[in-house]
Amino acid sequence: MATAVTNISTLLLGELQSLSTEARRKHPDIKEAAERVIVVLRGIKTTSTEEIARELSKSDQVLKPFALACHSNNHRLVSTAMHCLQQLVSRHALAPSAIRETLTTLTHVSAQGAVDMQVKVLQMVLPLVTSYGDSVNGETLVEAFALCLALQRSRDPVVSNTAAAILRQVVVAVFDRVESGDEDDGDLARRGAKDAYYVLQDLCLMAADGEPIFIRAEHAVDKRLVLELIESVLTNHWRVVAVGAMAQTLRDKLTPFIVNFFAERAAFPLAVRGIRIAWLFVRHLHEEFTAECEII
């Protein structure tokens, strides 16, 4: 364990020193920010991985050199900064107040179009949502969704497929927050329940070719993906959506779409996904949606 901790500390110090040296002439702001974090890191006396991460997460200075480097458009600086960000994110070493800026920084990096960087960006989205859950809600959660949706449209199959897979896991994580509590799952005043409700509402709207309200999508989202995300919710969290406002959303927005869906001829990939959703209604929600299931 001590060796692992030493390696982590050595890695961060080494990368920060590299940033400082590389940025010395053209990017003095990055050099200054890196040196401030070096001071913070050297001031941590503990040898515990968790405690090192906890101490780093108390400082608002930790993200700054890496965010600045990512915005420099200097490939070497961006590459170094992304490597460090992965270490910080995976170890829960960022301040909660820095999560929104982290997602904004990742969005900037992903827009540069480098496939290897886009994959690294996606690898950080899920731990940001799961490990920093209390800080990833509302507009910050919107930012995470927008980032994944933009990359899901990539022409590169690795990036596109990875983004779709991350989106499914992010949606499940959002509903996990609701199911982990002891209160009524239909109470939208609960932490996370409102986010889950808005996500479900928008998925139902997009399935029926409507415009999302909460989720920000610059382009139309692939309906196959939308149906897969709905299927994921009904598979993993049908108890959550079976009551209260979420159940009403399903009744008002999704069940009419499913019923009408089978009245028309759909493309095979959509038909398969529609049938899966219909089956999940019949299997899990027949008591709450008796009339709708009879129609299906």
Side-chain angles (χ1 to χ4, degrees):
M1 177 65 73
T3 301
V5 171
T6 301
N7 288 340
I8 293 168
S9 299
T10 302
L11 169 67
L12 290 175
L13 282 171
E15 299 287 29
L16 283 163
Q17 287 165 346
S18 295
L19 276 180
S20 179
T21 301
E22 181 71 23
R24 182 172 51 198
R25 293 183 179 178
K26 294 185 177 180
H27 304 280
D29 53 340
I30 298 176
K31 178 181 183 296
E32 182 181 342
E35 290 175 350
R36 286 177 181 169
V37 179
I38 288 173
V39 172
V40 171
L41 194 58
R42 285 177 172 165
I44 298 175
K45 305 304 181 183
T46 180
T47 57
S48 163
T49 301
E50 292 78 11
E51 289 180 14
I52 289 174
R54 191 177 302 116
E55 289 301 312
L56 288 173
S57 70
K58 294 177 182 178
S59 173
D60 292 331
Q61 299 292 324
V62 172
L63 175 63
K64 190 170 183 179
F66 309 119
L68 290 171
C70 285
H71 283 83
S72 71
N73 296 326
N74 177 304
H75 179 74
R76 186 176 296 181
L77 290 176
V78 172
S79 181
T80 300
M82 288 291 287
H83 181 58
C84 290
L85 276 176
Q86 279 189 307
Q87 301 299 317
L88 293 169
V89 168
S90 65
R91 288 171 174 79
H92 205 169
L94 290 174
S97 59
I99 304 308
R100 181 76 182 274
E101 186 180 353
T102 301
L103 283 165
T104 301
T105 298
L106 295 179
T107 298
H108 177 82
V109 172
S110 69
Q112 304 309 303
V115 170
D116 59 332
M117 290 297 159
Q118 290 177 337
V119 172
K120 285 184 178 181
V121 164
L122 288 166
Q123 290 171 344
M124 283 186 255
V125 173
L126 187 61
L128 279 171
V129 174
T130 55
S131 299
Y132 301 82
D134 289 346
S135 302
V136 185
N137 50 60
E139 284 300 315
T140 308
L141 182 61
V142 169
E143 189 88 21
F145 269 102
L147 176 54
C148 291
L149 287 171
L151 290 177
Q152 198 275 326
R153 291 177 57 84
S154 170
R155 294 182 179 179
D156 186 281
V158 173
V159 174
S160 179
N161 292 335
T162 302
I166 295 297
L167 268 171
R168 294 186 196 98
Q169 294 175 75
V170 167
V171 168
V172 169
V174 169
F175 283 85
D176 279 344
R177 298 177 194 172
V178 185
E179 199 161 65
S180 64
D182 297 326
E183 300 96 331
D184 177 16
D185 292 328
D187 181 8
L188 295 185
R190 292 182 51 199
R191 176 181 294 176
K194 188 171 292 186
D195 286 335
Y197 168 76
Y198 288 146
V199 169
L200 180 65
Q201 171 187 256
D202 279 4
L203 290 175
C204 293
L205 285 170
M206 288 189 288
D209 296 321
E211 291 293 326
I213 299 170
F214 178 71
I215 296 173
R216 187 172 68 246
E218 293 184 4
H219 304 278
V221 181
D222 188 334
K223 189 175 286 191
R224 291 172 299 178
L225 176 61
V226 173
L227 295 179
E228 286 172 6
L229 294 176
I230 292 173
E231 179 187 352
S232 195
V233 172
L234 296 181
T235 298
N236 296 286
H237 297 292
W238 58 270
R239 291 183 180 87
V240 172
V241 301
V243 295
M246 294 197 207
Q248 194 61 45
T249 292
L250 292 180
R251 182 168 286 109
D252 293 343
K253 295 181 172 62
L254 186 61
T255 53
F257 163 74
I258 294 297
V259 170
N260 293 331
F261 182 83
F262 291 107
E264 302 174 358
R265 179 173 295 181
F268 180 74
L270 295 178
V272 169
R273 290 162 176 81
I275 289 170
R276 288 175 181 166
I277 291 174
W279 163 240
L280 289 169
F281 263 94
V282 174
R283 181 181 183 183
H284 293 313
L285 301 172
H286 57 274
E287 293 184 1
E288 294 80 9
F289 295 87
T290 303
E292 290 84 356
C293 286
E294 286 179 358
I295 295 172
I296 289 173

